[in-house]
Amino acid sequence: MLERLKESYKTLLPSSGILIASFLDFLLQDSPQHPLPSKQYFIIVLFILLGVSLIFWTLSLFNRKLKDAYSEKGPFLFAAAIFLSVLNIITAKFALLPVIFFPSFDNILAVFIEQTALLLKCIGFSFRLLILGVIFGTIAGFITGVFLGFSKKVYYWINPYIKLIGPIPATAWIPLVLTVFPTPFGASVFIIGLAVWFPVQLMTSSGIQNTSKVFFEVGKTLGAGTYYQIVKIAVPASLPNIFQGVFNGICAAFIALMTAEMFGAKYGIGWYISYQKAMMLYSGVYAGLLMIAVFCTVILTALFSIRKRLLGWQKGLIKW
């Protein structure tokens, strides 16, 4: 009985935290130092979140699995709501931090509502750059890694150059790349691809080299040719390493993307953040940072879903 009451209490924590944040936001007036927003967006978002939390709480009463998950996340969600409320009080209500650098939540959320078209255009531009760069970088890194990992001759002749060039940050090549490529778009794709290429090839070659030699010897004994050994033995055995290289490459790609867009790009999240900073509009800067966080989380979550399907036997080894 006591355990059930404890679980029910935990499932109500998210709604309780949002109610507290809503009450404090409604009770305390905003500081006149902040620009007056067109609407009270923060309280609107809190009411929406409160409705969603109550829906989940209601569903959890009839679904044991959902109740367990919601009960586990309850304390964290409560703490997150209180944390946002404290930030709101420090910035919007009492203006304890410099107003120009720490805008209120209302002004940050207003950016998403009032500049939706521009933000969607920037997201689309960044997504196209990122996808092209990641695809080219992954393919180049995979092919390079297979050759380096499978062929001792290629490893002997090529690996010293890769050791010299690979560790150089991709963003360090921007001044040279901008002079070589005819358009900033092509230069940005190359920079992102370069950032992805090195970790993918490194982990691919390492995975193949660490594959047990017994597998290749058995394959040769059964008459397997070079192509079969690569496709059926080397690549499947090194898939965990390849995925790890892709994950590391994507994290590096985001850094390269943001940096590349700040040099000559007409749109994109990085361009938007740079533009807002130049105009001293830090509400737009924070909105851009939030977009990056969501953008990166969605892509990495999708990749982990693919990894989970392909590498079911490694379930639980790496969590996201």
Side-chain angles (χ1 to χ4, degrees):
M1 184 66 180
L2 184 62
E3 191 66 27
R4 289 183 179 179
L5 288 174
K6 188 176 180 181
E7 287 183 359
S8 300
Y9 168 72
K10 286 185 177 180
T11 56
L12 283 171
L13 280 176
S15 301
S16 302
I18 297 171
L19 274 174
I20 294 172
S22 302
F23 176 75
L24 291 174
D25 185 69
F26 181 78
L27 182 66
L28 301 173
Q29 291 186 347
D30 289 351
S31 169
Q33 298 182 44
H34 285 279
L36 189 64
S38 56
K39 290 183 180 179
Q40 300 297 318
Y41 291 108
F42 184 58
I43 194 67
I44 294 173
V45 170
L46 287 176
F47 283 148
I48 293 173
L49 292 176
L50 178 61
V52 172
S53 68
L54 289 175
I55 290 173
F56 273 100
W57 176 76
T58 305
L59 293 175
S60 69
L61 297 177
F62 306 97
N63 189 310
R64 182 66 189 181
K65 188 176 180 181
L66 178 60
K67 184 176 182 179
D68 292 340
Y70 202 48
S71 176
E72 180 185 357
K73 295 290 185 182
F76 171 79
L77 294 175
F78 175 83
I82 298 301
F83 175 71
L84 288 177
S85 180
V86 171
L87 281 181
N88 186 48
I89 293 172
I90 292 174
T91 55
K93 304 304 180 182
F94 296 142
L96 298 178
L97 299 174
V99 171
I100 190 171
F101 299 115
F102 296 94
S104 66
F105 287 152
D106 287 328
N107 287 316
I108 294 174
L109 293 171
V111 174
F112 291 103
I113 304 301
E114 298 167 4
Q115 300 184 28
T116 304
L118 177 59
L119 293 177
L120 289 176
K121 193 170 186 178
C122 289
I123 291 173
F125 189 90
S126 294
F127 183 75
R128 184 174 59 156
L129 268 181
L130 185 70
I131 291 299
L132 289 175
V134 169
I135 289 174
F136 290 141
T138 301
I139 292 174
F142 175 76
I143 294 174
T144 308
V146 168
F147 276 106
L148 288 171
F150 198 79
S151 174
K152 291 183 179 179
K153 290 183 178 180
V154 175
Y155 184 86
Y156 175 81
W157 289 106
I158 303 298
N159 193 57
Y161 296 103
I162 292 180
K163 284 184 177 180
L164 181 65
I165 297 174
I168 300 175
T171 52
W173 296 94
I174 287 178
L176 178 62
V177 171
L178 287 174
T179 60
V180 173
F181 282 80
T183 62
F185 182 85
S188 300
V189 171
F190 178 81
I191 290 296
I192 296 168
L194 186 62
V196 177
W197 163 78
F198 180 65
V200 171
Q201 73 82 22
L202 179 63
M203 298 307 299
T204 302
S205 61
S206 298
I208 294 175
Q209 289 172 351
N210 291 329
T211 302
S212 177
K213 304 301 179 186
V214 175
F215 297 151
F216 296 108
E217 291 174 0
V218 171
K220 287 181 180 179
T221 303
L222 296 176
T226 302
Y227 176 79
Y228 187 93
Q229 291 183 53
I230 293 174
V231 175
K232 298 294 184 178
I233 299 175
V235 172
S238 59
L239 269 180
N241 294 71
I242 294 173
F243 270 101
Q244 186 176 350
V246 173
F247 293 143
N248 293 336
I250 286 180
C251 293
F254 270 98
I255 298 174
L257 172 68
M258 296 302 108
T259 308
E261 285 183 343
M262 293 178 183
F263 293 91
K266 294 182 179 180
Y267 293 102
I269 302 175
W271 167 85
Y272 180 81
I273 292 175
S274 180
Y275 172 75
Q276 294 293 310
K277 181 184 175 184
M279 300 297 292
M280 298 295 287
L281 300 173
Y282 278 85
S283 56
V285 172
Y286 287 108
L289 293 175
L290 286 173
M291 285 193 297
I292 293 173
V294 174
F295 195 31
C296 186
T297 301
V298 169
I299 290 178
L300 288 180
T301 302
L303 280 175
F304 264 91
S305 299
I306 296 172
R307 182 187 186 278
K308 185 178 179 181
R309 288 182 175 273
L310 293 178
L311 302 175
W313 52 275
Q314 278 206 330
K315 184 178 179 180
L317 292 182
I318 301 178
K319 295 183 180 180
W320 171 249

